[in-house]
Amino acid sequence: MTDLSFRAAEQQAPVVDEQRADDRASGRGAGSRRRFRIGAGEALAGAYLIAAVVAAVAPGLLSPVDPLAISPSQAFSPPSLADPAVTLLGTDESGRSILSRIIHGAGPSLLIGASATAIGLLLGAALGLFAGLSGRVVDFAVNRLLEVLFALPGLLLALFLIVIVGPGVVTTTLAVGLSTAPGYARIIRGQVLAIRRSGYIEAATVLGVSPVRRLIRHMLPNTAGPLLALGTLGLGQAIVWASALSYLGLGAVPPSPEWGAMLAAGRIYLTTAWWMSVMPGLAIVLTAMSATALGRGVQRRVRAL
Amino acid sequence: MSGLISVRDLRVSFGDREVVRGVDIAVAPGETLALVGESGSGKSVTARALLGLTGPGAAVTASQLDIDGRDLRAASEREWRGVRGSRVGLVSQDALVSLDPLRPIGREIADTLRIHTRLSPSARTERVLEVLREVGMPDPEVRIAQRAGELSGGQRQRALIASALALRPPLLVADEPTTALDVTVQARILDLLGSVTANGTGLVLISHDLAVVARVADRIAVMSDGRIVETGTVDEVLGAARAQQTRRLIAAIPSGRPRGSRLRPVDAAGVIETRPRPTAERTVREETDPTSPILDVRGVSKAYPRRGTEPLVAVDDVSLSIRPGETLGLVGESGSGKSTLARIALALTAPDRGEVVVDGESWSTLRESKRRARRHLMGAIYQDALSSFDPRLTTGQILADALLVAGVRDGGGRRARELLDSVGLPSAVLARRPARLSGGQRQRVSIARALATSPRLLLCDEPVSALDVGVQATVLDLLDDLQREHGLALLFISHDLGVVRHMSDRIAVMHAGRLVETGDAEAVFAAPQHPYTQLLLEATPTLPQSGR
């Protein structure tokens, strides 16, 4: 019965209208290949983040001098090329190299940011999936809880936790993770609900696919894509928040080189030695920007898939 | 040549692909020219070239491109803006997309007047009311302040035609103006378009459906592969088609074609075999008792609560049954409850009252966990095949998943290839995602998936209404073949009476949630009993008998 003529009927024509409709539907075609190419901004952001990760993993490779080495004669040197290993980005009140301290600070800062994001995403995903997959009552309850959490500013929530548990790097990470979780939960719940109502879940039900398999085969993978994109976007935010807590003296404690703590240490010398705060500040801003730029790129590509 | 449009050797290309290759068009005042062809034939691009709307990527050339006496070959975007609306009006297919959902339609229609004329606001309102009356909009004073979402499909299409006519352009271009509409509404819109030309307006009507244009066109131009392959009066083209493409288009129209006759040529020479194959040739499965119904719907009702008013009764005490291997055609217009009935039959929605029985055993009353083991009995295909596929999965993965449900571990993909083969697709499709396939191919993949569990009944919910006639014909032929081969029973749901008549042994007509008529297909068509069935039958476009 395989009859060649009707196959030919559909294949012969340069199916212009239909093909174009297909391209729109799938977001592909000539235009999408362009979208998958890496732009200059993304390349820069990527290069910066790679450098930051290298600094985090093996700071000795990049940093010219010991970040804790004191050199009172060089205290408060402005950024200059005089002794680039030490003074390229200036020195602090004890003559320590800001450049070295930023490089050595990448580790704790990125670790706090990444762990906080992971905690937030995991908690948010669990809560969002739970709400989206359960019945109406559970969904209602979770939603009200999320609304209450939304009403409290995230930083306040974090401070609250620190007050109870006491300051420190671990607490900061936990606090930031917890306070970002409601946002993730809400987005994931929406995604889960949309997929639950989708045509392909219905088709799977009609076919006789079991609920567990529908969850594993369709719901989870289709939620995971946006989740990944959200995570990269959230990384920048988490780093900024962790730095903010350190700045308030609730995270990493000096003299350990953490960007937020360095920012705080420079605050009293702001009028005389601006580089002490501005340089670590720049590191934070650039990291957050790069992570966000890459996050957007990931999100766009995930959507086009 | 003196006419509204005279176009010679029109060529449009996108990059190095030429999609319109030398088209000549001439339309005189008061004349209706129908541009007919399958999707991809270049008819829509041709029509858009008449409005300068081919888009930035297109290169348009012509040795003559005169519209209403103006040479527009080298017209700038600015000049085209002066032409659109005032000299050429456009009516597009989907009125819901073309009208701004947040603005009242009166404002929408007045826009063209505001841009092209110096009329005062009150004079504009006057003109809008006048043109709404011209297009037969009921209660124009009320409608003028309503938004697109508050109007019915037919009223929206009328509003769109009104906005195209607001400036009394001498020429109207209508691109598939009735494709999204119910047949009874379609008939009225076609009548309206016919009356518009009575006062001298020229009309270019684009459609993939010859039966639709036969009703209003004076002349027909058949397009294929970017060229006009045949042109002539309606009688000439339909009565004595010369081009093979025209004959294929005529043959693809299912309405009035006997059950079992093919809509597409069987041999490579393109000879159209129209002899119906006897129904008795169909396979009957041995294990089945042909007298006991495979699907039995018993007095089913479903109502949806509405805020403020009484509940909407979507399905009202409907009973029907399908025997193994037969096709029951379920016809009704949008809102008649046929989709709700389909969901009840598939046990996606529980009925308020009544019961559905499948193969002699309970179905709608079972718990889902119990029913799952029997779900293999019933397959389904949908109007929007694409959304029924997980966007991440390839065709091969989709079929492997379906086979897994049937308990087949299809390691090498042998069964998947067999399934694709049975729906006439090459195995190269396995590695592609449905989003990369054409509409017809997608529907074939969804049929292949439904066949994976070897169902006894296939529920088809508007399976071809998103496809154009040519592709529709191949999918209908495929369903007929599969029914013969596998002894499938079909519940074939459609708003298109022509399609249902071609496919069905028996017919059930739904109207406002109730089953108003059931019976043998030929008997219902020969002597419809219920007034609603008569109305539907009258509205269905058919080719004049000379075209046969």
Side-chain angles (χ1 to χ4, degrees):
Chain A
M1 73 127 278
T2 343
D3 126 24
L4 286 169
S5 63
F6 62 54
R7 248 191 246 174
E10 278 181 54
Q11 285 170 357
Q12 106 209 124
V15 196
V16 184
D17 292 352
E18 220 175 310
Q19 197 58 51
R20 267 192 292 148
D22 286 353
D23 289 348
R24 274 197 301 277
S26 63
R28 295 195 188 210
S32 69
R33 238 162 273 135
R34 214 171 302 133
R35 255 180 289 148
F36 277 86
R37 214 180 291 151
I38 293 170
E42 283 175 346
L44 276 176
Y48 179 85
L49 274 191
I50 289 170
V53 168
V54 170
V57 177
L61 278 182
L62 298 177
S63 92
V65 294
D66 182 355
L68 298 177
I70 296 171
S71 163
S73 63
Q74 283 177 305
F76 297 121
S77 307
S80 74
L81 293 170
D83 178 8
V86 181
T87 63
L88 185 66
L89 298 183
T91 60
D92 65 5
E93 76 275 20
S94 308
R96 292 178 292 214
S97 163
I98 302 263
L99 176 62
S100 273
R101 290 180 62 74
I102 286 179
I103 290 169
H104 281 267
S109 295
L110 287 186
L111 187 66
I112 294 173
S115 334
T117 308
I119 291 170
L121 269 180
L122 280 178
L123 270 176
L127 211 57
L129 279 170
F130 181 56
L133 293 174
S134 309
R136 232 184 272 171
V137 179
V138 174
D139 187 40
F140 182 84
V142 173
N143 255 323
R144 295 299 85 76
L145 174 73
L146 289 180
E147 272 159 25
V148 171
L149 290 178
F150 265 119
L152 300 169
L155 218 49
L156 191 69
L157 211 65
L159 286 173
F160 193 61
L161 191 83
I162 289 166
V163 167
I164 297 171
V165 186
V169 175
V170 178
T171 324
T172 308
T173 311
L174 262 177
V176 172
L178 279 181
S179 53
T180 48
Y184 294 128
R186 178 166 281 196
I187 295 171
I188 289 159
R189 171 184 167 269
Q191 182 79 13
V192 168
L193 284 182
I195 294 172
R196 238 174 99 168
R197 279 192 290 260
S198 72
Y200 54 91
I201 291 296
E202 196 169 291
T205 311
V206 168
L207 212 55
V209 178
S210 71
V212 175
R213 193 163 160 73
R214 287 204 296 268
L215 179 73
I216 295 171
R217 183 66 167 160
H218 301 297
M219 308 275 301
L220 291 184
N222 278 298
T223 328
L227 208 63
L228 182 76
L230 275 179
T232 43
L233 274 177
L235 188 65
Q237 188 202 7
I239 289 173
V240 171
W241 279 26
S243 300
L245 288 173
S246 292
Y247 174 83
L248 294 174
L250 300 168
V253 224
S256 85
E258 195 276 335
W259 296 344
M262 288 170 68
L263 204 67
R267 135 180 130 249
I268 39 177
Y269 308 109
L270 201 56
T271 46
T272 50
W274 53 268
W275 54 91
M276 279 182 67
S277 295
V278 169
M279 294 304 172
L282 266 178
I284 295 170
V285 168
L286 285 178
T287 310
M289 269 172 64
S290 303
T292 308
L294 286 189
R296 287 192 177 234
V298 170
Q299 197 171 39
R300 216 180 45 220
R301 288 175 178 80
V302 164
R303 220 176 268 155
L305 281 182
Chain B
M1 196 184 287
S2 81
L4 281 173
I5 319 180
S6 95
V7 173
R8 270 168 201 282
D9 198 28
L10 175 72
R11 289 169 186 277
V12 182
S13 47
F14 294 94
D16 49 7
R17 196 166 63 168
E18 201 174 40
V19 293
V20 177
R21 320 182 190 187
V23 162
D24 298 347
I25 295 176
V27 179
E31 186 185 38
T32 301
L33 171 72
L35 273 181
V36 184
E38 297 187 6
S39 61
S41 58
K43 57 187 193 303
S44 282
V45 180
T46 304
R48 295 206 168 246
L50 299 179
L51 289 133
L53 285 175
T54 41
V60 183
T61 61
S63 61
Q64 190 184 15
L65 181 56
D66 291 353
I67 292 174
D68 198 22
R70 271 168 64 165
D71 182 3
L72 291 165
R73 269 177 302 172
S76 63
E77 176 57 27
R78 211 184 137 76
E79 284 172 79
W80 273 117
R81 275 203 294 272
V83 170
R84 279 176 226 142
S86 64
R87 285 156 197 268
V88 188
L90 172 70
V91 181
S92 55
Q93 176 177 351
D94 197 339
L96 193 56
V97 176
S98 306
L99 294 169
D100 187 335
L102 296 176
R103 300 176 71 207
I105 57 152
R107 295 259 294 284
E108 219 40 18
I109 298 167
D111 267 354
T112 29
L113 297 170
R114 194 169 47 77
I115 293 162
H116 291 281
T117 68
R118 293 174 182 282
L119 291 177
S120 68
S122 62
R124 288 206 292 264
T125 310
E126 265 317 297
R127 175 66 189 141
V128 170
L129 281 174
E130 187 185 332
V131 73
L132 280 177
R133 255 176 242 121
E134 273 171 40
V135 299
M137 179 77 85
D139 307 319
E141 291 82 3
V142 180
R143 305 286 171 219
I144 196 169
Q146 286 184 325
R147 299 188 181 93
E150 299 171 90
L151 304 178
S152 70
Q155 287 167 347
R156 278 201 291 268
Q157 203 63 39
R158 278 176 202 273
L160 207 60
I161 294 173
S163 78
L165 288 177
L167 286 165
R168 298 194 182 86
L171 179 72
L172 207 58
V173 175
D175 190 356
E176 304 271 5
T178 61
T179 307
L181 301 175
D182 280 330
V183 272
T184 51
V185 183
Q186 166 173 282
R188 275 178 259 136
I189 296 292
L190 288 177
D191 288 345
L192 167 64
L193 287 173
S195 72
V196 163
T197 54
N199 60 16
T201 308
L203 176 64
V204 177
L205 181 64
I206 291 114
S207 179
H208 66 268
D209 194 337
L210 268 172
V212 165
V213 302
R215 216 171 159 125
V216 280
D218 299 309
R219 283 189 306 125
I220 294 180
V222 179
M223 281 193 76
S224 174
D225 207 10
R227 292 193 179 84
I228 291 183
V229 291
E230 178 155 15
T231 173
T233 65
V234 173
D235 287 342
E236 281 166 10
V237 172
L238 296 183
R242 279 164 292 134
Q244 196 206 323
Q245 290 92 334
T246 316
R247 289 202 297 270
R248 280 165 57 102
L249 274 178
I250 293 173
I253 297 169
S255 58
R257 296 287 300 284
R259 171 109 175 84
S261 60
R262 298 193 69 84
L263 302 171
R264 270 300 189 205
V266 173
D267 57 4
V271 176
I272 296 162
E273 173 65 69
T274 52
R275 207 158 26 89
R277 288 171 296 170
T279 323
E281 265 178 26
R282 282 192 246 163
T283 315
V284 176
R285 291 190 188 183
E286 290 111 24
E287 78 266 31
T288 59
D289 172 8
T291 52
S292 85
I294 177 75
L295 176 76
D296 200 2
V297 176
R298 298 173 182 168
V300 156
S301 296
K302 178 76 191 174
Y304 291 102
R306 279 186 297 188
R307 211 169 280 198
T309 60
E310 51 200 74
L312 172 76
V313 182
V315 174
D316 190 3
D317 194 21
V318 169
S319 299
L320 49 84
S321 66
I322 303 175
R323 289 188 295 277
E326 90 168 337
T327 303
L328 177 71
L330 182 62
V331 210
E333 300 193 68
S334 47
S336 61
K338 57 190 193 309
S339 287
T340 306
L341 189 61
R343 290 183 65 83
I344 292 173
L346 287 169
L348 290 168
T349 301
D352 296 337
R353 274 196 311 280
E355 192 193 357
V356 180
V357 174
V358 170
D359 199 21
E361 287 174 51
S362 54
W363 172 263
S364 63
T365 51
L366 283 181
R367 292 229 317 273
E368 179 62 33
S369 51
K370 290 262 166 52
R371 186 164 44 225
R372 199 166 302 128
R374 307 190 68 223
R375 282 221 178 254
H376 67 90
L377 290 170
M378 202 191 295
I381 60 175
Y382 315 89
Q383 174 172 8
D384 182 5
L386 182 61
S387 74
S388 76
F389 301 122
D390 187 329
R392 289 182 319 111
L393 304 183
T394 63
T395 303
Q397 291 169 315
I398 288 165
L399 293 180
D401 278 3
L403 286 165
L404 202 63
V405 173
V408 182
R409 284 212 170 267
D410 193 35
R414 195 179 56 84
R415 265 300 282 154
R417 273 195 291 277
E418 280 172 21
L419 282 173
L420 279 186
D421 191 50
S422 69
V423 297
L425 286 176
S427 51
V429 167
L430 281 177
R432 294 165 71 185
R433 292 188 193 167
R436 305 284 289 145
L437 302 175
S438 73
Q441 288 172 325
R442 283 173 195 161
Q443 200 54 280
R444 281 163 193 271
V445 172
S446 90
I447 294 171
R449 172 176 63 182
L451 292 179
T453 58
S454 315
R456 304 264 308 277
L457 170 73
L458 191 59
L459 188 147
C460 315
D461 190 0
E462 301 271 8
V464 294
S465 21
L467 307 175
D468 80 14
V469 266
V471 184
Q472 167 179 301
T474 65
V475 172
L476 292 180
D477 280 349
L478 171 65
L479 284 172
D480 192 49
D481 286 338
L482 291 173
Q483 176 167 47
R484 282 161 200 284
E485 210 175 324
H486 301 284
L488 274 176
L490 295 182
L491 174 55
F492 194 96
I493 301 170
S494 177
H495 69 282
D496 188 331
L497 217 57
V499 171
V500 168
R501 178 181 199 176
H502 174 72
M503 293 298 290
S504 309
D505 301 309
R506 285 191 307 124
I507 280 184
V509 183
M510 267 190 99
H511 180 51
R514 305 192 70 98
L515 214 55
V516 295
E517 184 158 1
T518 49
D520 211 51
E522 284 320 305
V524 169
F525 278 98
Q529 299 301 307
H530 195 275
Y532 179 72
T533 316
Q534 292 164 2
L535 187 74
L536 265 187
L537 212 53
E538 226 164 78
T540 303
T542 46
L543 289 182
Q545 278 310 305
S546 61
R548 290 278 154 223

